């Protein structure tokens, strides 16, 4: 930068995802502009908002090459400097623009003057490695929900006084707030109750997957609920799992990192201090498993049986059937010979249209867009079942058997609900849960499909346990670990078995892959290739496009974080775990 800095200055990250800066601005010495505050600054011909990340400036660049311009005004007070520091460290770790995280950490728009003293000073700029923080795992009994267990643990003082909690969904966050209220702990919601947290009126915060960014200063513990949940592992931009963000926050704030889950990720379990609950677990519900051979009478038989049993305990039991897909049934299979049915005319894939008013189930060819009979092309048998269950298909099968209205999708008041995983997430009091192919409930090819299957089983068991209800698992090919989990009522051995099996197949879930591209990528990749990390490799895919691999994601991030890089996404673009090369 040319010229001297003015008497008072600030570095500002602007709310422009692809070109966030930081940029240096002059500040009126009388202005109450503090570290972390949200301000408005001139940016080219525009005015944009931004966040103060150094006060005074550390002399970097400014957006107009000709002259230093001034911060125009303060918009809102910022979170404590440790949150800003965590955001910047997390963005460095995730190799992403900090803007989306700064937006997530900001105070919601409220009327009234700022109540906080502006902070001055500098933030540490360092690569925080969240995997260097040793987590504590509080193992939740399979028949207890994570929110309930958090309530019990908070009441017992297990996490300390000042606690930041991140839950994977809004529903789980709400259940956690309720569970805490039942044990007399008042918790503020993040970001809604931002001011309460920032002013220290409440010392417990509950937020979503970005909940670790709550403006509660110096927490004793950062607690992550169910980090295996797909929402907590949202791998969109920035590439940052809830647990990574919590690890960064815990490292920056020097607090404990705590995981509360019945199904903690296997790699966390391997390096965590694990605490097992000492009290007697609550009564275990009836859990039955149905394999392919049991399904000849159809899924309707399973549900009807379960409802009949539930009616002995309650006149109007509630049942929830959770299936992997919406719409009609997919992939019809011959019950006699096991062949997959295809279109007789074109060989294309068939979907199964439900039976209606005396018309039996029929096939529909997606290619010809024509109706086809459901009859095996190999052996001629008309006995057909689907291998991909769906809401419409299962609801149509159930209707004649259960003789009551069936809701398709979440409906807390309906007697019988058939839905996808959403219905399980939003279910209230339920007596019977039928989980169809739990490993496929969230996509079929996910890296963590087996762990997730186990997680949904836990959710179903915890849901019915308080009603002394029943869980029926419909699994065509039951995983080897399932009987053991149900016998031991503990997920740990299964999680280890899943991890070992994956390692034996050479499918290391931790393998790190990234694609670097863009007009300025060459210099960045050249600098990276000087970094000495065993197993780190660079391959050129195309001009201006490189594939980087490392034995683990952690090592890859250490490599990426070790070379300074412009955050301008137009110049260098880094995709971690790219979906395609
Ligand atoms: Zn066809
Ligand atoms: Zn056949």
């Amino acid at each position: 930068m040319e010229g001297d800095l003015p008497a008072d200055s600030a570095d500002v990250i602007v709310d422009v995802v692809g070109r966030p800066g930081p940029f240096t601005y002059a500040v009126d010495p009388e202005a109450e502009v503090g570290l972390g505050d949200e301000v408005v600054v001139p940016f080219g011909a525009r005015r944009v908002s931004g966040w103060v990340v150094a006060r005074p400036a550390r002399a970097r660049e400014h957006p107009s090459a000709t002259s230093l311009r001034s911060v125009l005004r303060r918009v809102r007070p910022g979170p404590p400097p440790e949150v800003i520091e965590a955001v910047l460290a997390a963005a460095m770790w995730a190799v992403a623009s900090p803007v989306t995280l700064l937006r997530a950490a900001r105070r919601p728009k409220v009327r009234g003057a700022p109540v906080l003293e502006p902070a001055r000073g500098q933030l540490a700029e360092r690569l925080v490695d969240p995997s260097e923080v040793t987590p504590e795992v509080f193992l939740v009994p399979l028949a207890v929900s994570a929110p309930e267990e958090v309530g019990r643990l908070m009441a017992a003082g297990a996490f300390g006084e000042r606690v930041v909690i991140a839950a994977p969904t809004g529903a789980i966050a709400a259940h956690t707030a309720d569970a805490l209220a039942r044990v007399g702990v008042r918790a503020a919601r993040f970001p809604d109750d931002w001011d309460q947290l920032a002013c220290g009126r409440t010392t417990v915060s509950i937020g979503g997957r970005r909940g670790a960014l709550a403006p509660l200063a110096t927490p004793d513990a950062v607690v992550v609920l169910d980090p295996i949940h797909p929402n907590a592992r949202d791998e969109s931009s920035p590439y940052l799992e809830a647990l990574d963000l919590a690890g960064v926050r815990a490292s920056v704030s020097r607090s404990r990192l705590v995981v509360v889950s019945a199904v903690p990720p296997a790699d966390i379990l391997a390096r965590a201090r694990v605490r097992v609950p000492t009290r007697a677990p609550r009564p275990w519900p009836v859990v039955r498993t149905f394999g392919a051979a049991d399904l000849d009478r159809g899924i309707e038989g399973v549900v009807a049986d379960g409802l009949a049993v539930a009616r002995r305990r309650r006149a109007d039991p509630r049942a929830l059937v959770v299936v992997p897909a919406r719409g009609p049934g997919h992939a019809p299979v011959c019950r006699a010979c096991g062949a997959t049915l295809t279109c007789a005319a074109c060989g294309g894939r068939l979907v199964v249209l439900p039976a209606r008013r005396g018309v039996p189930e029929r096939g529909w060819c997606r290619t010809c867009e024509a109706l086809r009979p459901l009859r095996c092309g190999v052996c001629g048998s008309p006995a057909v079942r689907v291998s991909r269950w769906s809401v419409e298909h299962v609801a149509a099968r159930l209707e004649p058997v259960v003789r009551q209205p069936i809701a398709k999708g979440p409906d807390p008041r309906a007697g019988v609900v058939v839905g996808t995983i959403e219905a399980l997430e939003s279910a209230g009091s339920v007596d019977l849960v039928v989980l169809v192919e739990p490993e496929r409930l969230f996509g079929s090819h996910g890296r963590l499909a087996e762990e997730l299957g186990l997680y949904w089983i836990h959710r179903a068991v915890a849901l019915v346990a308080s009603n002394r209800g029943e869980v029926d698992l419909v699994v065509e090919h039951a995983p080897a670990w399932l009987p053991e989990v149900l016998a031991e009522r503990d997920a740990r051995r299964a999680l280890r078995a899943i991890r070992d099996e994956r390692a034996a197949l050479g499918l290391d879930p931790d393998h790190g892959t990234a694609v670097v591209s863009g007009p300025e990528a060459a210099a960045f990749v050249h600098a990276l290739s000087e970094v000495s990390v065993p197993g780190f490799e660079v391959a050129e895919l195309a001009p201006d496009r490189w594939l980087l691999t490392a034995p683990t994601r952690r090592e890859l991030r250490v490599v990426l974080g070790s070379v300074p890089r412009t955050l301008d996404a137009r110049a260098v673009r880094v995709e971690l775990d790219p979906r395609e090369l």
Side-chain angles (χ1 to χ4, degrees):
M1 194 180 113
E2 288 171 33
D4 295 325
L5 283 174
D8 207 352
S9 61
D11 286 329
V12 175
I13 285 182
V14 295
D15 193 351
V16 177
V17 173
R19 204 185 166 216
F23 301 110
T24 297
Y25 289 87
V27 178
D28 176 351
E30 301 296 304
E32 297 225 318
V33 172
L35 189 63
D37 284 356
E38 196 171 334
V39 293
V40 173
V41 293
F43 188 72
R46 292 186 288 159
R47 290 174 171 200
V48 297
S49 59
W51 295 267
V52 174
V53 295
R55 183 97 165 84
R58 286 167 149 167
R60 272 179 271 220
E61 55 175 321
H62 44 98
S64 84
T66 49
S67 66
L68 190 66
R69 300 163 84 182
S70 292
V71 169
L72 297 172
R73 64 188 170 87
R74 182 194 200 206
V75 184
R76 305 178 235 196
E82 66 191 82
V83 172
I84 298 287
E85 189 180 336
V87 163
L88 299 182
M92 291 241 284
W93 169 255
V95 201
S97 165
V99 166
T100 46
L101 293 174
L102 284 164
R103 287 181 191 156
R106 75 172 22 145
R107 180 201 209 196
K109 279 207 170 84
V110 284
R111 290 185 178 279
V115 287
L116 302 163
E117 280 288 301
R120 291 179 72 97
Q122 307 295 2
L123 304 170
E125 274 185 289
R126 58 200 173 100
L127 182 68
V128 173
D129 179 350
S131 62
E132 276 172 2
V133 181
T134 302
E136 297 165 61
V137 170
F138 285 78
L139 206 65
V140 178
L142 281 175
V144 175
S145 74
E148 285 175 83
E149 189 68 358
V150 166
R152 190 187 73 80
L153 290 165
M154 279 290 290
F159 309 139
E161 293 287 315
R162 305 175 63 80
V163 182
V164 167
I165 302 172
T169 67
I172 294 176
H175 286 145
T176 306
D178 292 346
L180 290 176
R182 283 197 292 274
V183 296
V185 175
R186 200 166 67 85
R189 295 294 294 272
F190 169 74
D192 300 9
D193 304 323
W194 198 97
D195 279 355
Q196 282 185 34
L197 291 161
C199 302
R201 286 202 295 272
T202 315
T203 56
V204 178
S205 157
I206 300 178
R209 66 195 172 90
R210 304 258 197 254
L213 298 178
L216 177 71
T218 60
D220 298 316
V222 181
V223 178
V224 185
L225 267 62
D226 288 345
I228 194 99
H229 193 289
N231 278 30
R233 296 187 293 110
D234 180 1
E235 294 179 356
S236 58
S237 179
Y239 184 100
L240 201 64
E241 300 184 3
L243 190 54
D244 288 337
L245 189 58
V248 170
R249 176 73 201 270
S251 173
V252 168
S253 295
R254 298 184 205 296
S255 50
R256 292 159 64 196
L257 174 63
V258 173
V259 170
V260 178
S261 185
V263 185
D267 58 329
I268 299 300
L269 202 54
R271 63 187 178 83
R273 284 199 298 276
V274 180
R275 302 183 185 218
V276 182
T278 49
R279 70 181 162 152
R282 74 151 42 127
W284 184 257
V286 176
V287 181
R288 298 188 298 165
T289 306
F290 298 87
D294 303 306
L295 289 175
D296 271 357
R297 63 205 173 110
I299 191 164
E300 56 271 32
V302 172
V303 178
D305 276 6
L307 274 172
V309 172
R311 276 199 195 93
R312 285 181 219 146
R313 291 188 307 266
R314 189 197 293 264
D316 55 343
R318 291 199 170 136
L320 170 61
V321 183
V322 188
V323 298
R326 294 188 173 81
H330 291 273
V333 175
C334 172
R335 272 185 192 163
C337 75
T340 298
L341 272 67
T342 52
C343 171
C346 78
R349 284 198 269 171
L350 295 179
V351 297
V352 179
L353 302 183
R356 285 262 183 269
R357 294 195 199 91
V359 180
E361 287 180 351
R362 287 170 299 173
W364 173 260
C365 174
R366 290 168 153 183
T367 312
C368 311
E369 299 191 334
L371 287 167
R372 302 287 177 218
L374 284 177
R375 182 175 290 277
C376 176
V378 177
C379 75
S381 166
V384 168
R385 62 181 177 81
V386 295
S387 59
R388 184 103 166 110
W389 303 90
S390 62
V391 172
E392 290 293 335
H393 180 80
V394 171
R397 286 283 185 97
L398 288 182
E399 248 158 29
V401 181
V402 302
R403 294 188 299 273
Q404 68 184 95
I406 294 174
K408 297 173 198 169
D411 183 346
R413 279 160 307 176
V416 178
V417 171
V418 180
T420 56
I421 204 68
E422 273 175 15
L424 178 65
E425 295 270 17
S426 60
S429 172
V430 175
D431 304 280
L432 170 68
V433 177
V434 181
L435 282 188
V436 179
E437 300 290 1
E439 284 175 50
R440 294 193 191 175
L441 288 175
F442 203 88
S444 51
H445 305 292
R447 184 164 55 86
L448 297 173
E450 282 196 273
E451 282 100 324
L452 260 185
L454 190 47
Y455 175 67
W456 301 129
I457 292 170
H458 147 65
R459 292 284 302 273
V461 168
L463 188 61
V464 301
S466 51
N467 288 349
R468 300 283 189 107
E470 173 171 326
V471 173
D472 291 344
L473 304 173
V474 176
V475 277
E476 198 168 337
H477 306 287
W481 45 259
L482 185 57
E484 196 176 76
V485 166
L486 299 179
E488 293 181 356
R489 299 171 188 180
D490 187 327
R492 280 174 296 169
R493 206 125 68 99
L495 289 168
R496 269 181 239 122
I498 291 167
R499 190 175 165 83
D500 291 349
E501 189 186 347
R502 207 156 36 204
L505 291 170
L507 301 171
D508 186 351
D510 293 336
H511 193 75
T513 316
V515 167
V516 177
S517 57
E520 288 175 33
F524 178 59
V525 170
H526 180 75
L528 285 177
S529 52
E530 314 271 289
V531 178
S532 169
V533 167
F536 170 64
E537 284 177 29
V538 177
E540 191 167 352
L541 297 170
D544 292 342
R545 193 168 173 83
W546 288 266
L547 174 69
L548 314 180
T549 54
T552 65
R553 296 159 137 203
R554 195 187 88 74
E555 282 164 298
L556 184 64
R557 288 176 175 198
V558 169
V559 172
L560 288 168
S562 64
V563 172
R565 172 178 70 87
T566 171
L567 285 171
D568 189 338
R570 293 164 305 182
V572 178
R573 189 171 144 76
V574 180
E575 297 162 82
L576 286 160
D577 275 2
R579 276 171 181 75
E580 51 195 53
L581 303 182

